């Protein structure tokens, strides 16, 4: 956090100040069932450019069991639409041994899109394949 230009630091507040309880969409258009704004398990900040970052950490036992040590989300345009994973919202996973973009390869237009940050980093675009 000290390396970021933080405009608003909401911590784990669940009052929706940093983030509405917006229902995010998956890449395939289905609803993503988690509502992050009122979820006190996530630490939330708004950066100076308006982007929204929220994250959660797991216990050391969860991290040691090869689950993610932390999950970091970035919505590049904050509260503005489309609020869709793989379009303006991306997830990074921090594992015990490394930081990775995703557990799985699911960046296809007919998928949830949780791993699309990997595609964006590798190819520099949002031109995702239709299907696997």
């Amino acid at each position: 956090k000290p390396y970021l230009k933080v405009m608003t630091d909401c911590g784990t507040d669940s009052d929706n100040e940093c983030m509405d309880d917006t229902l995010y969409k998956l890449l395939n258009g289905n609803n993503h069932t988690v509502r992050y704004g009122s979820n006190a398990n996530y630490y939330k900040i708004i950066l100076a450019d308006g982007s929204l970052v929220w994250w959660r950490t797991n216990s050391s036992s969860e991290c040691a069991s090869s689950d993610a040590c932390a999950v970091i989300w970035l919505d590049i345009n904050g509260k503005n639409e489309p609020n869709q994973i793989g379009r303006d919202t991306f997830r990074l996973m921090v594992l015990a041994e490394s930081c990775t973009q995703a557990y799985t390869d699911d960046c296809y237009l007919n998928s949830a899109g949780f791993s699309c940050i990997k595609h964006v980093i590798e190819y520099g675009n949002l031109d995702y394949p239709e299907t696997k």
Side-chain angles (χ1 to χ4, degrees):
K1 199 170 88 176
Y3 302 99
L4 302 173
K5 293 182 180 178
V6 177
M7 182 172 69
T8 307
D9 183 340
C10 290
T12 56
D13 289 347
S14 57
D15 60 8
N16 295 318
E17 180 185 344
C18 274
M19 158 177 221
D20 295 332
D21 229 1
T22 299
L23 186 61
Y24 278 80
K25 294 278 187 188
L26 300 173
L27 186 59
N28 62 16
N30 293 335
N31 288 334
H32 180 44
T33 58
V34 178
R35 294 183 182 264
Y36 296 102
S38 61
N39 191 326
N41 293 323
Y42 289 87
Y43 197 100
K44 306 162 195 86
I45 59 175
I46 298 174
L47 301 179
D49 67 358
S51 58
L52 176 61
V53 181
W54 67 100
W55 65 89
R56 69 171 168 79
T57 58
N58 286 333
S59 69
S60 57
S61 63
E62 290 171 306
C63 183
S65 69
S66 78
D67 195 1
C69 298
V71 179
I72 304 167
W73 288 91
L74 169 66
D75 187 331
I76 60 173
N77 62 347
K79 295 179 181 182
N80 298 320
E81 293 185 356
N83 294 320
Q84 186 174 23
I85 295 166
R87 294 290 177 212
D88 67 338
T89 306
F90 301 93
R91 177 185 76 174
L92 288 165
M93 310 295 284
V94 180
L95 305 177
E97 301 297 321
S98 65
C99 182
T100 184
Q101 296 87 9
Y103 289 132
T104 61
D105 177 20
D106 78 336
C107 189
Y108 301 92
L109 294 176
N110 67 342
S111 71
F114 289 117
S115 67
C116 286
I117 190 68
K118 181 177 181 180
H119 178 96
V120 172
I121 291 169
E122 288 180 7
Y123 301 104
N125 63 52
L126 301 176
D127 299 331
Y128 308 132
E130 280 287 326
T131 60
K132 189 170 187 176

